[in-house]
Amino acid sequence: MKIKFEYKIAVIVALGTFQASFAQKEDENIGSEVVNVVKPYTPTVSDAFKVKETPVIEDDENTQKEEIEYNIFSFPVASTFTPSKGRAAGVERPKREKLFNNYATLGAGNYGTINAELFVTENLNRNEYVGGMLRHLSSQGGISDVKLDDKYYNTGIDLIYGNKQKQYNWSADLGYQNQVYNWYGLPVDYTTFTDEVVNSIDPQQTYHTLKLGGDIALKDGFFTDASLQYKRFWDAFSSAENRFILKPSFDVDVVDQKIKLDVITDYVGGSFDNSYAGTEKLEYSYFNLGAQPSILFQKDDFSVNLGAALFYSIGKLNNESDNKFFIYPQVKASYKVVGDLMVAYTGAEGTLKQNSYEEFVSQNAFVSPTLAIAPTDQQYDAYVGLKGKLANNVAYNVRGSYMSEDNRAFYRSNNLSDPASETNKGYEYGNSFGVVYDKLKTISFFGELKADFSKKVRGGINGTYYSYSTDQQEAWNLPEMKIAGNVDVDITEKWSAGANVFFVGERKDFVSTGDVTVVDNVQVVALKSYFDINAHVGYKYNERLTGFLKLNNIANQDYERWTSYPVQGFQFLLGASYKFNF
């Protein structure tokens, strides 16, 4: 075996010692100087001789690691601990409210008011159902300082049949409505009306509506849905009108994009026995055929709907033809600025609006049966807005718009006819409204807030400001401001309550005034702004029976919605609603 590293070190040290001793023997005369050792020599690391080569391990075999085995000696330990069984935390489930297919409501109040409703529906089988609705609202009148009868009746019945299949659904409905109103709004300045003249006036008007319609929706194919409606409308003065509307919709795929096409077929035609100022008969008919193609583009948070509306109108008024072609923009876009918290939107939309006698009556029941009917050209409504959420339970919407209309219909008071005439009808005493048409440009600003303050309290407020520009002397009977608010509260499981308030700004009208013997004595008058406060309280006796109390015009405001037409004062309606199944 070769000499190991430790042995080499020992040899070197021995040779060094031998050499030192030999040197002292050669020079023995070192003098007689005395050397005092003050401190013994203390070697440091730096004094050591440093080996500059790494020794090579020359063992024939390397030491093998010894394997170690571990053994665990377990033994039982006695324990008296017994864990309890886990149990799910109790969750209180709200009682599921039972649903009923039918209900009946009956209420009565002051002014001889009666309000009744009955709704019934029944499934014939898995795919078919039938239903019906009966409504009645009436009042015996009694407004203070009104000389003529001011009662009204409104009764309607609707029947429906529906059929649901895998590939399509369709339904058909049939309805009839009867309305009775009175032209009770004699101008208050007509002090020369004698009792004989007042007693000779028959102010009653009766309206009848018969309607038949249907809807169909398909789940597959380019034809998606369609609606059809026919209305027959007539009154007690031999006025009659027919309205037919057909609206099919299609979805067409073009170059990986879906184009939606809405087709509109709208016909209205009718006649009046005479005009307001003459005896000639008024006849009108308008057939509007339109197509509204649109395409929707969506990418990330941005979406835009590009479309247009094309209409061709074939019109006739007293044998005078009026055929025109119209093109309107229908563009809408939105961008999610901050998700659903802030969404910016804009658009420009126009359309050809078909006017009708039936729609005018639904807006103002005191029009005379002597109207000139014509469509309104709504050229565009350009708007920009912002909507979203201020919090999880608070939503907002603000919008500004600019609308341009041609042939816009305005309600305006009719002039007074000679009150001494024995041929006057009940609407010819300055107590009815006609329709005039003109251009109108409207700038409006709208704002709205809705909030769910809690699970039991909900509310909202909205308001709109209008600024008008027209060739007429005024924008007749259009308000400059509207504000509305509401709140609903679930007090307990059985009690609930709510309230709403609305404000309508000043309006202008052009009315006859002064001496009744001067027919052309007319002037512009301002109808004062007004507000109305309403409230309701409900008590749920059980899952079937609920009682209610409604209070209207709580402030007892003596305002006029239309010129010379004051409304009823404080009103209450007490009643109950009952749900049931057959």
Side-chain angles (χ1 to χ4, degrees):
M1 181 178 289
K2 296 182 180 181
I3 300 173
K4 292 186 178 181
F5 175 72
E6 296 87 82
Y7 295 160
K8 289 182 180 181
I9 296 297
V11 172
I12 293 172
V13 173
L15 290 176
T17 304
F18 175 78
Q19 183 178 1
S21 61
F22 180 77
Q24 291 179 358
K25 289 180 178 181
E26 284 186 346
D27 192 7
E28 292 181 354
N29 188 14
I30 60 176
S32 59
E33 186 175 354
V34 178
V35 178
N36 295 322
V37 178
V38 179
K39 181 180 179 182
Y41 172 70
T42 303
T44 63
V45 176
S46 62
D47 297 330
F49 179 79
K50 296 179 182 180
V51 180
K52 296 183 180 180
E53 295 182 0
T54 303
V56 179
I57 299 176
E58 297 178 348
D59 294 332
D60 292 335
E61 296 181 357
N62 293 327
T63 305
Q64 298 293 328
K65 293 183 179 180
E66 184 177 358
E67 294 184 1
I68 301 175
E69 295 182 358
Y70 297 92
N71 295 318
I72 298 176
F73 300 97
S74 60
F75 55 91
V77 177
S79 176
T80 59
F81 172 73
T82 304
S84 60
K85 295 182 178 180
R87 186 173 59 182
V91 178
E92 185 178 350
R93 291 185 178 182
K95 185 178 179 181
R96 185 176 180 181
E97 185 176 358
K98 185 176 180 179
L99 300 179
F100 296 91
N101 295 331
N102 319 295
Y103 76 88
T105 298
L106 180 62
N110 59 339
Y111 292 99
T113 303
I114 299 295
N115 185 18
E117 290 185 6
L118 174 64
F119 176 79
V120 294
T121 182
E122 186 68 20
N123 293 322
L124 302 178
N125 51 52
R126 293 183 59 184
N127 300 324
E128 297 176 287
Y129 65 92
V130 293
M133 182 76 179
L134 175 64
R135 298 185 181 94
H136 175 81
L137 177 63
S138 64
S139 173
Q140 299 305 312
I143 302 174
S144 60
D145 299 328
V146 170
K147 296 182 179 181
L148 300 178
D149 190 0
D150 60 328
K151 66 183 178 183
Y152 66 85
Y153 297 86
N154 191 338
T155 305
I157 183 171
D158 294 283
L159 304 175
I160 186 171
Y161 167 82
N163 193 310
K164 298 180 180 180
Q165 301 293 334
K166 281 187 177 182
Q167 300 301 322
Y168 64 90
N169 301 328
W170 71 275
S171 63
D173 59 89
L174 174 66
Y176 171 75
Q177 185 179 19
N178 175 258
Q179 303 172 78
V180 176
Y181 290 94
N182 285 275
W183 289 293
Y184 66 86
L186 289 178
V188 294
D189 291 338
Y190 293 164
T191 56
T192 56
F193 275 148
T194 64
D195 291 339
E196 183 181 358
V197 171
V198 172
N199 294 332
S200 67
I201 299 175
D202 181 8
Q204 183 171 299
Q205 168 68 299
T206 304
Y207 301 109
H208 306 268
T209 307
L210 178 65
K211 58 184 179 180
L212 175 65
D215 296 276
I216 186 171
L218 281 73
K219 298 181 180 180
D220 296 320
F222 70 96
F223 173 64
T224 58
D225 58 79
S227 64
L228 172 68
Q229 187 178 66
Y230 168 75
K231 286 184 180 180
R232 171 73 175 180
F233 185 75
W234 70 98
D235 65 14
F237 290 82
S238 302
S239 308
E241 178 182 79
N242 295 303
R243 181 85 181 268
F244 178 86
I245 304 173
L246 175 63
K247 293 182 177 181
S249 297
F250 305 88
D251 283 344
V252 182
D253 293 327
V254 178
V255 192
D256 297 331
Q257 293 291 339
K258 181 167 288 188
I259 297 178
K260 183 176 177 61
L261 176 63
D262 295 328
V263 178
I264 300 175
T265 303
D266 192 341
Y267 169 81
V268 64
S271 64
F272 299 101
D273 262 5
N274 56 272
S275 63
Y276 189 81
T279 57
E280 69 276 11
K281 190 173 183 178
L282 287 176
E283 294 182 340
Y284 59 93
S285 67
Y286 290 90
F287 177 73
N288 297 338
L289 180 61
Q292 299 180 155
S294 63
I295 184 170
L296 177 64
F297 297 96
Q298 289 181 315
K299 185 176 181 181
D300 299 330
D301 295 330
F302 179 75
S303 68
V304 59
N305 192 314
L306 299 177
L310 297 88
F311 281 91
Y312 185 71
S313 178
I314 304 173
K316 182 179 290 187
L317 179 61
N318 284 351
N319 296 322
E320 292 186 8
S321 298
D322 186 19
N323 302 339
K324 291 182 180 179
F325 181 73
F326 302 89
I327 299 179
Y328 303 101
Q330 289 194 347
V331 180
K332 296 182 289 185
S334 65
Y335 177 70
K336 293 183 178 180
V337 182
V338 187
D340 292 332
L341 300 179
M342 183 181 295
V343 180
Y345 63 93
T346 184
E349 300 179 68
T351 188
L352 184 63
K353 181 182 177 182
Q354 185 80 285
N355 294 315
S356 68
Y357 183 32
E358 185 264 341
E359 288 187 353
F360 285 151
V361 169
S362 66
Q363 297 171 11
N364 183 351
F366 309 111
V367 294
S368 62
T370 59
L371 306 178
I373 306 296
T376 295
D377 175 16
Q378 182 180 306
Q379 297 167 340
Y380 57 85
D381 179 12
Y383 58 87
V384 60
L386 200 65
K387 62 182 179 180
K389 295 181 178 180
L390 297 176
N392 289 334
N393 59 341
V394 181
Y396 68 92
N397 186 10
V398 291
R399 182 180 71 242
S401 68
Y402 179 75
M403 181 186 294
S404 177
E405 297 172 283
D406 193 11
N407 220 36
R408 166 64 187 260
F410 299 90
Y411 297 107
R412 198 179 72 177
S413 293
N414 286 320
N415 294 337
L416 170 69
S417 297
D418 183 4
S421 174
E422 297 181 356
T423 60
N424 281 354
K425 299 181 176 62
Y427 56 84
E428 294 183 319
Y429 295 86
N431 57 338
S432 64
F433 295 84
V435 174
V436 294
Y437 296 88
D438 212 325
K439 295 180 179 179
L440 178 67
K441 297 184 184 299
T442 307
I443 298 175
S444 64
F445 298 96
F446 169 81
E448 181 181 39
L449 278 176
K450 291 182 178 180
D452 291 336
F453 301 103
S454 67
K455 292 182 179 180
K456 296 184 177 181
V457 183
R458 303 163 298 279
I461 185 172
N462 65 79
T464 309
Y465 169 77
Y466 302 94
S467 177
Y468 305 104
S469 175
T470 178
D471 292 340
Q472 291 284 308
Q473 191 173 352
E474 297 286 348
W476 308 118
N477 279 295
L478 294 180
E480 58 186 16
M481 184 178 294
K482 288 183 178 181
I483 300 175
N486 71 283
V487 62
D488 291 291
V489 182
D490 296 330
I491 303 172
T492 64
E493 289 186 1
K494 291 185 175 294
W495 287 96
S496 63
N500 65 77
V501 58
F502 60 87
F503 171 85
V504 177
E506 187 179 85
R507 292 134 292 136
K508 300 292 181 61
D509 202 353
F510 195 60
V511 300
S512 300
T513 185
D515 189 354
V516 295
T517 62
V518 183
V519 178
D520 294 329
N521 193 349
V522 292
Q523 68 179 20
V524 176
V525 297
L527 279 75
K528 295 180 180 180
S529 59
Y530 64 89
F531 71 93
D532 201 333
I533 303 175
N534 308 309
H536 64 270
V537 178
Y539 176 73
K540 186 177 180 180
Y541 180 75
N542 54 37
E543 61 184 6
R544 293 177 178 268
L545 182 62
T546 302
F548 62 85
L549 172 64
K550 295 182 179 180
L551 306 176
N552 295 332
N553 197 4
I554 296 176
N556 198 29
Q557 295 293 298
D558 186 22
Y559 62 84
E560 295 180 357
R561 174 64 183 89
W562 302 101
T563 306
S564 302
Y565 278 87
V567 301
Q568 294 176 344
F570 172 75
Q571 306 154 49
F572 72 86
L573 186 72
L574 182 65
S577 179
Y578 182 76
K579 302 175 184 178
F580 61 95
N581 288 327
F582 289 120

